[in-house]
Amino acid sequence: MKITVSTHKLSGYRATLRTAKQLAESAARLVNRSVPGSMPDVQITLTNARGLAELATTAEAELAGGVDKRVRDREERHAARGACNVDGRAVPLAEGSVLVLINVDRNASPGEFAITLVHELVHAMQFSRKGVRERIIRDRRDTFKVERQSRRQARENERCHDDEEREAYSREYLADQIVPGARAA
């Protein structure tokens, strides 16, 4: 498990980057101990809403493979519309690691950042479970119009996604161990 922290299209966030590096290691250890699965290599990138949409779409298009540029651009525009309301996003990468994107505009305090980080690291752990990565790739291939999935597979993906979100929200209490009082704010 290797954790790297960087920024994308941000300037003047040196203190935030320093805080993120301090919190990332302890968050990864806590999540690794409390969530079933194995922690893959994680690249944490601090960015703004526009960068979040751009990086997530690029990573998902690479994961899907053989994506038409027009479809990719359409998906990026769609992601950019809702990105201002997103705290963070975890995306599995083609080589097996996970990209965790954090919207710094939505995570103003270390407590909020710790909650978002724990939530997204739980998703990173979920990607290591049997069949999850394949299901996500199948869904992304359908989204980018590379290969269709059946309605049954789409319903299964939606149900599993809801279960994974519930699990990630249920583990946010771990953020209090990193930043005391994180969930109280």
Side-chain angles (χ1 to χ4, degrees):
M1 162 182 79
K2 180 180 165 194
I3 307 289
T4 58
V5 182
S6 62
T7 60
H8 176 73
K9 293 188 178 179
L10 290 179
S11 59
Y13 282 87
R14 191 173 300 154
T16 306
L17 181 62
R18 196 173 324 116
T19 303
K21 286 180 180 179
Q22 291 170 353
L23 297 177
E25 289 295 327
S26 55
R29 276 194 310 275
L30 276 172
V31 170
N32 198 17
R33 282 192 305 237
S34 69
V35 177
S38 61
M39 182 68 76
D41 291 343
V42 178
Q43 302 170 21
I44 299 170
T45 303
L46 309 177
T47 187
N48 54 20
R50 191 112 178 105
L52 188 135
E54 174 189 332
L55 290 173
T57 304
T58 301
E60 288 177 340
E62 184 179 312
L63 188 66
V67 175
D68 183 31
K69 183 172 176 15
R70 290 177 307 207
V71 175
R72 185 195 167 287
D73 291 344
R74 185 196 62 198
E75 285 300 317
E76 186 173 336
R77 284 191 304 275
H78 183 279
R81 281 192 291 269
C84 60
N85 298 323
V86 175
D87 292 345
R89 181 106 189 262
V91 181
L93 295 176
E95 79 271 358
S97 63
V98 176
L99 175 65
V100 172
L101 302 167
I102 305 288
N103 185 350
V104 295
D105 297 333
R106 298 271 302 177
N107 295 284
S109 70
E112 291 173 346
F113 181 80
I115 291 170
T116 302
L117 187 59
V118 166
H119 183 97
E120 299 307 328
L121 287 175
V122 169
H123 287 310
M125 291 287 284
Q126 292 166 344
F127 296 153
S128 71
R129 295 179 187 161
K130 183 178 180 182
V132 174
R133 183 178 282 286
E134 292 78 21
R135 178 178 47 82
I136 291 171
I137 291 172
R138 184 180 63 224
D139 184 60
R140 294 295 91 198
R141 290 179 66 79
D142 181 59
T143 300
F144 285 106
K145 311 241 183 287
V146 175
E147 180 181 348
R148 290 198 42 126
Q149 66 178 341
S150 69
R151 278 180 266 165
R152 181 174 156 234
Q153 290 171 330
R155 283 191 310 270
E156 174 199 359
N157 182 58
E158 189 65 33
R159 183 183 49 76
C160 291
H161 178 74
D162 291 344
D163 291 343
E164 291 163 354
E165 279 298 322
R166 267 193 296 283
E167 181 185 13
Y169 281 117
S170 73
R171 301 299 175 140
E172 287 182 358
Y173 72 90
L174 294 171
D176 286 333
Q177 296 178 27
I178 302 166
V179 178
R183 293 190 323 151

